[in-house]
Amino acid sequence: MGPTGSGKSSFISKVTGGSVLTSCTSGLRVTKCKVMGFANLVLVDTPGLDDTNRSDLEVLNLISKWLKENYERKALLSSVLYFHRITDNRMAGTPLKNFRVFEKLCGDHAMAQVILVTTMWDEVEDDVGKDRLAELRSTYWKGMISHGSTTFRYENTKESATRLLEEMAEKGIERRHKELRETAAGQEFFSLECNPQCSTGAP
């Protein structure tokens, strides 16, 4: 998950190297592949929460429906990757609102399964990127990290993608999927739908 243009699709491309079976399901890009000994690895590229063609509620509904259908087929969600551009010099407005909703979607019990992935390191000075990551870890991401989430510096290379996949595998556990309306994120989205003037969010 993550904003449009944050590197989700690029990561999947680097992981699979083109050896994939991909299908688009109502806006979700589902990629099945065999890498690193994983016989049935499924990577789900979700629309950005800032998608211009869908509301936040529609995006979350897409994700919720897909997870529910596949949970019933005994396919289990092992981990969640949240992609963030390190090139963004501040976190406010829509990006901040999207992250707050994502945080609520996970809930305290699932935060240990989350990897917060920073991307586009080749577009900033290394010291600048490190300072921004330190700020993210000590402020916006502090709560999730304290509940077990980890961070990962993705270098947009095959090697870096493989290391991220290894971390993803280590976090894999069975997690029961909740119905959309039962999650704090779902409640947040319904609130936003009822109050569109609040859709830009606030810290």
Side-chain angles (χ1 to χ4, degrees):
M1 296 183 69
T4 302
S6 57
K8 304 186 298 293
S9 298
S10 173
F11 163 69
I12 292 175
S13 177
K14 284 293 192 301
V15 164
T16 61
S19 177
V20 301
L21 174 61
T22 300
S23 65
C24 293
T25 306
S26 300
L28 298 181
R29 183 169 176 261
V30 182
T31 301
K32 297 180 181 180
C33 55
K34 297 180 180 180
V35 293
M36 291 178 53
F38 294 95
N40 296 294
L41 178 65
V42 178
L43 302 172
V44 183
D45 187 357
T46 67
L49 292 177
D50 52 355
D51 191 293
T52 56
N53 298 316
R54 301 177 180 85
S55 69
D56 292 342
L57 178 59
E58 289 175 317
V59 171
L60 188 56
N61 261 315
L62 286 175
I63 299 168
S64 178
K65 181 180 179 182
W66 189 89
L67 287 173
K68 182 175 184 295
E69 290 174 351
N70 284 273
Y71 179 78
E72 290 171 351
R73 298 189 186 111
K74 308 303 181 183
L76 302 173
L77 179 65
S78 63
S79 59
V80 179
L81 308 182
Y82 184 86
F83 287 76
H84 175 80
R85 297 178 294 256
I86 202 66
T87 51
D88 293 348
N89 60 11
R90 60 194 299 267
M91 198 167 184
T94 299
L96 180 57
K97 183 267 296 185
N98 291 343
F99 181 75
R100 293 302 188 209
V101 171
F102 171 76
E103 188 175 20
K104 291 181 179 181
L105 171 63
C106 295
D108 291 349
H109 65 290
M111 286 186 183
Q113 305 315 120
V114 174
I115 303 176
L116 302 164
V117 183
T118 50
T119 63
M120 302 186 180
W121 283 85
D122 57 335
E123 297 185 19
V124 297
E125 294 292 333
D126 197 57
D127 288 345
V128 172
K130 288 179 178 178
D131 287 343
R132 290 177 183 172
L133 178 57
E135 180 183 13
L136 289 168
R137 290 178 58 88
S138 64
T139 54
Y140 303 107
W141 294 356
K142 184 177 180 179
M144 294 191 71
I145 292 173
S146 69
H147 285 91
S149 298
T150 56
T151 63
F152 186 91
R153 173 173 168 164
Y154 176 57
E155 304 283 358
N156 196 32
T157 64
K158 176 72 172 180
E159 293 74 21
S160 184
T162 299
R163 290 196 303 272
L164 179 51
L165 192 65
E166 290 171 346
E167 285 207 18
M168 205 172 79
E170 290 176 2
K171 284 182 172 288
I173 63 167
E174 297 184 5
R175 178 177 179 265
R176 185 176 180 83
H177 172 64
K178 288 185 175 182
E179 292 291 340
L180 174 60
R181 289 180 183 270
E182 295 176 358
T183 66
Q187 294 168 8
E188 175 81 357
F189 276 128
F190 283 111
S191 173
L192 291 175
E193 287 291 308
C194 294
N195 301 282
Q197 68 273 17
C198 300
S199 62
T200 55

